Amino acid sequence: MTPTFDEFASFLRERLGVRKKQVITPKTLLEDELGVTGDDGIDLLEAVERQYAISLSPLHETFSMQPNELLFQEEGLGIHVGELSRVFKNLFRKIKEPGPVMRKFQVGELYEVVCRLKQQQAR
């Protein structure tokens, strides 16, 4: 069954330990406003898959991402491993490859994907 947005927001609130005072809307940014980064982002996506019995893989197709686009920043150094690789490669050649782009990943976007996948299952 497809969850309502309020049910989905409650799931996120519980899973992420978000205070009840903090409002979660479809426009809420997972990283900037809820603090979801790196491994916590991957853990969240896996929890969403388990909770709603769906598969979000492959992420780039599921979320219509560009090849260099990321949903969550890596924890720690604040630089993506792929970015380090790109920098080192570019030291030895003149062609510049585009670095990773952080997507402004909203709760509503994740919710819409869950709904779409649940509806596909129901058919």
Side-chain angles (χ1 to χ4, degrees):
M1 187 161 120
T2 304
T4 65
F5 181 79
D6 288 340
E7 291 169 338
F8 186 72
S10 292
F11 165 75
L12 292 181
R13 183 178 305 285
E14 183 178 317
R15 178 78 175 102
L16 300 173
V18 175
R19 298 180 335 265
K20 291 187 181 202
K21 287 183 179 182
Q22 185 170 357
V23 177
I24 298 177
T25 72
K27 299 263 185 214
T28 300
L29 297 171
L30 285 160
E31 187 169 44
D32 295 347
E33 296 176 75
L34 299 181
V36 180
T37 61
D39 291 341
D40 292 339
I42 300 305
D43 291 346
L44 174 62
L45 295 179
E46 290 172 350
V48 167
E49 287 180 320
R50 284 189 304 275
Q51 176 71 19
Y52 298 104
I54 58 172
S55 175
L56 299 173
S57 295
L59 289 178
H60 277 83
E61 288 178 23
T62 302
F63 293 99
S64 302
M65 298 167 61
Q66 299 299 316
N68 63 328
E69 195 172 26
L70 301 173
L71 295 177
F72 303 106
Q73 186 129 223
E74 286 197 8
E75 297 171 6
L77 296 174
I79 188 168
H80 188 268
V81 175
E83 175 69 2
L84 284 175
S85 173
R86 183 187 69 77
V87 169
F88 287 123
K89 283 182 197 173
N90 287 336
L91 288 175
F92 300 103
R93 59 187 181 155
K94 293 181 181 181
I95 300 171
K96 301 290 183 196
E97 294 177 11
V101 174
M102 295 308 304
R103 182 183 211 146
K104 294 291 184 183
F105 192 32
Q106 298 177 341
V107 169
E109 185 178 4
L110 181 55
Y111 173 69
E112 287 173 13
V113 166
V114 168
C115 290
R116 178 173 42 98
L117 294 173
K118 291 303 289 178
Q119 289 169 356
Q120 286 174 357
Q121 280 181 347
R123 291 183 199 154

